[in-house]
Amino acid sequence: MSRNTKINALLLLVVAALAVLPLALGLGDHKEEPFTGSDGEAETAITELHPDYEPWFSPLYEPPSGEIESGLFSLQAALGAGVLAYYFGLRRGRRQGAALAKAAEGKAAGAKTAEVAEAKASPDGGGTGSGGTGSGTVDEPGA
């Protein structure tokens, strides 16, 4: 098993443990709603500490039910995951494209070097290719 596979398996186990351990250990059993969001927890704490507290702002949109609120939150999370996946895919594609371009450039430079070496090694110095009877100069266009 490769090093990356081991790291991925370990990360998967950690994520599974983070999801299962709070349920298995009974964390939050003493609460009426054990797994409420931080907004609800903060509202409860503020109300207990300062009963006359007046909020500065009110929500722009108040969903009619908890299910709709949960659905909107899930939609927001999915859109965020999509944006992140697009960004990382774009970066990976650009990196791979740059590597392919560099490899193609290296092959082209290697072919050019071989062509120059072959021209220098030929009997006529890379001229007309007439078997050594040329003047020993490289052909130029229009000459």
Side-chain angles (χ1 to χ4, degrees):
M1 192 175 342
S2 72
R3 184 173 186 265
N4 285 340
T5 305
K6 289 178 184 177
I7 290 172
N8 287 339
L10 180 64
L11 288 174
L12 185 62
L13 286 173
V14 168
V15 168
L18 285 173
V20 172
L21 282 177
L23 298 171
L25 297 176
L27 299 177
D29 284 345
H30 62 282
K31 296 180 181 179
E32 186 177 317
E33 295 180 26
F35 299 107
T36 59
S38 61
D39 293 345
E41 294 286 329
E43 185 179 343
T44 303
I46 291 171
T47 305
E48 288 176 2
L49 295 173
H50 299 287
D52 57 340
Y53 176 76
E54 194 77 23
W56 293 3
F57 301 101
S58 60
L60 296 175
Y61 172 70
E62 190 77 35
S65 70
E67 290 83 12
I68 293 175
E69 184 176 356
S70 178
L72 290 173
F73 181 76
S74 299
L75 179 64
Q76 179 185 1
L79 287 172
V83 168
L84 283 175
Y86 174 78
Y87 172 73
F88 286 123
L90 184 68
R91 280 193 51 197
R92 181 176 181 173
R94 284 183 179 172
R95 192 172 356 131
Q96 287 178 343
L100 286 173
K102 189 174 182 179
E105 184 180 294
K107 282 184 180 179
K112 183 72 170 172
T113 304
E115 195 175 288
V116 168
E118 184 180 307
K120 287 182 179 179
S122 70
D124 66 350
T128 61
S130 59
T133 60
S135 62
T137 61
V138 178
D139 289 341
E140 293 184 15

